[in-house]
Amino acid sequence: MGGVEPAAPSGDRVIVVVAFDQVQLLDVSGPLEVFTTANRYGARYDVRVISPTGLDVLTSSGLRIGADTDLEQLPRHVNTLLVPGRSDWRQAIADDVLVSLVGGLAARALRVASVCAGAFVLAQTGVLDGRRATTHWELASQLAAAFPQVRVEPDPVFVRDGHIVTSAGVTAGIDLALALVEEDYGADLARETARQLVVFMARPGGQSQFSIRMTPQPPQHRLVRRAMDEITADPSLPHGIGALTARLGISTRHLARLFRQEIGMTPGQYADAVRVEAAQTLLSSGLASVEEVAQQAGFGSSETMRRVFQQALGLSPTVYRARFRTTTAPAPAPVALSLPSSC
């Protein structure tokens, strides 16, 4: 068709969300709510939903959503392409029309993002070749097997490699969208958006999809279970390997070997992970100073806690508290230390 392409209003950032049959509803609606809510606080997002056929699509939950634009209505360049996923990713990547649409849009986008199994569609187009990427932890091993040229990281909430960002399952799309809002308009606007949606400010991308207390493979050995129970019961107590082995009546070498075999980390690494979780909850509550949090969580000093936080999250406890204080009574924040791959 001829004619002039419609342009976005001056200053607006065009966000194109691809919808298709059996797409996960929250993969679409979660980021959409973030971007449109951000507009209430000064953002300038022009959010468009497009489908391969140009028609409405039936989501995985049975709810029908409409496509409000088509290729002819898009400007030549878009700011962000967002690709959600569906649980049966094989059906998605077998849809040549869908893959062609995504591949063409990816070439026009300044930034490309996926939620959950949307990473499979991006991988099918080839845009993830040689790049780091993530998806829902349960699908990570399948992504790695189906696309060996993609460097899959199963643990993080989201992974950025250049202009491409891939995120974990369902609600991680909200974290991803908030991170994009912060990138575009700053932390204050993103924080206001998060407060309005009654969610935590975007979790750092490197944060684990898992809680340290919910390891995907529970330990079988009773001594490992006992040591883990002691650490999680009160992380402020001395939990060095010497103290643990004295209480358990075994050698340090034996306990270290059992921990590595059972959960893939040392007792010290596990204790640090538990302490990070405890500190996250305390920092989010805002009821204690950073030094008090360090003592209560078992770090001993704020400097030690800062060092561990920096290594685990890439940000300091003070910055973490500023980012996550979005409600007066926040729920416990998820763990921020990566666990070994289990997919």
Side-chain angles (χ1 to χ4, degrees):
M1 294 180 60
V4 179
E5 315 174 319
S10 178
D12 282 10
R13 299 172 188 263
V14 176
I15 308 286
V16 178
V17 181
V18 179
F20 48 93
D21 281 335
Q22 294 305 305
V23 70
Q24 183 91 18
L25 177 60
L26 194 56
D27 287 6
V28 177
S29 61
L32 279 176
E33 283 293 333
V34 171
F35 294 128
T36 55
T37 300
N39 284 344
R40 296 166 57 180
Y41 296 97
R44 295 284 301 276
Y45 289 118
D46 178 5
V47 185
R48 320 257 187 114
V49 177
I50 191 170
S51 72
T53 62
L55 303 175
D56 294 356
V57 301
L58 191 65
T59 67
S60 59
S61 63
L63 183 67
R64 190 172 293 277
I65 59 176
D68 59 12
T69 191
D70 58 39
L71 283 173
E72 294 296 329
Q73 296 174 303
L74 290 178
R76 183 176 301 276
H77 298 290
V78 299
N79 181 267
T80 303
L81 169 67
L82 182 70
V83 183
R86 59 176 288 182
S87 58
D88 187 354
W89 58 265
R90 291 176 181 83
Q91 288 291 326
I93 67 172
D95 186 337
D96 293 336
V97 178
L98 170 62
V99 173
S100 177
L101 174 66
V102 170
L105 288 171
R108 298 164 59 173
L110 297 177
R111 190 167 58 191
V112 178
S114 68
V115 182
C116 198
F120 287 87
V121 180
L122 287 185
Q124 184 70 10
T125 70
V127 301
L128 293 185
D129 289 358
R131 293 185 182 274
R132 298 164 49 245
T134 194
T135 186
H136 189 288
W137 64 267
E138 196 171 34
L139 300 176
S141 61
Q142 298 175 42
L143 180 62
F147 300 97
Q149 63 273 40
V150 180
R151 291 150 52 195
V152 179
E153 298 185 6
D155 195 42
V157 171
F158 59 87
V159 168
R160 179 157 199 161
D161 191 324
H163 72 295
I164 297 178
V165 194
T166 52
S167 75
V170 286
T171 60
I174 295 174
D175 296 298
L176 169 64
L178 282 168
L180 298 181
V181 170
E182 181 177 6
E183 180 180 306
D184 293 340
Y185 294 103
D188 289 343
L189 192 147
R191 188 176 296 109
E192 286 302 308
T193 302
R195 287 174 60 87
Q196 178 62 36
L197 295 173
V198 197
V199 297
F200 283 109
M201 181 63 172
R203 288 175 284 177
Q207 182 160 307
S208 176
Q209 296 183 40
F210 307 100
S211 166
I212 192 65
R213 298 171 176 86
M214 299 172 63
T215 53
Q217 296 177 333
Q220 300 300 311
H221 200 287
R222 63 177 182 83
L223 290 178
V224 176
R225 292 198 303 271
R226 181 179 163 190
M228 292 171 69
D229 288 344
E230 287 196 9
I231 293 170
T232 56
D234 189 350
S236 67
L237 295 176
H239 293 304
I241 191 167
L244 283 173
T245 54
R247 296 198 295 268
L248 296 173
I250 60 174
S251 70
T252 57
R253 180 177 297 180
H254 185 41
L255 183 62
R257 183 170 63 251
L258 287 175
F259 258 73
R260 287 203 174 277
Q261 289 174 349
E262 294 275 340
I263 62 172
M265 61 176 68
T266 67
Q269 289 170 331
Y270 180 80
D272 278 348
V274 171
R275 286 167 174 153
V276 167
E277 272 198 350
Q280 284 178 288
T281 301
L282 291 166
L283 288 167
S284 297
S285 73
L287 300 177
S289 69
V290 171
E291 192 62 45
E292 289 170 334
V293 169
Q295 294 294 328
Q296 293 177 39
F299 287 107
S301 71
S302 57
E303 176 55 31
T304 300
M305 183 169 70
R306 186 199 64 78
R307 187 167 59 251
V308 175
F309 258 63
Q310 197 68 44
Q311 182 179 8
L313 274 177
L315 75 174
S316 70
T318 301
V319 172
Y320 179 91
R321 180 166 59 182
R323 288 172 63 93
F324 282 80
R325 287 182 62 184
T326 61
T327 63
T328 56
V335 68
L337 194 68
S338 292
L339 293 175
S341 171
S342 62
C343 297

